[in-house]
């Protein structure tokens, strides 16, 4: 489930770069996903 969310966010981020669609929101979501990913890696 976690990897699916990361994959979807990355896909939306790439599409956002190509179409310049909701740029700020996508970058914020990507940063949040990265922070959660790092947190989960440290907790393991």
């Amino acid at each position: 489930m976690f990897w699916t969310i990361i994959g979807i966010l990355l896909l939306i981020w790439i599409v956002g770069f190509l179409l310049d669609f909701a740029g700020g929101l996508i970058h914020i979501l990507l940063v949040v996903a990265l922070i959660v990913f790092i947190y989960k890696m440290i907790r393991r």
Side-chain angles (χ1 to χ4, degrees), residues 20-33:
D20 197 25
F21 170 73
L25 180 63
I26 299 303
H27 293 295
I28 291 170
L29 287 174
L30 185 64
V31 169
V32 169

Side-chain angles (χ1 to χ4, degrees), residues 9-28:
L9 283 175
L10 283 174
L11 182 66
I12 292 172
W13 184 55
I14 292 169
V15 171
F17 265 130
L18 295 176
L19 301 177
D20 197 25
F21 170 73
L25 180 63
I26 299 303
H27 293 295
I28 291 170

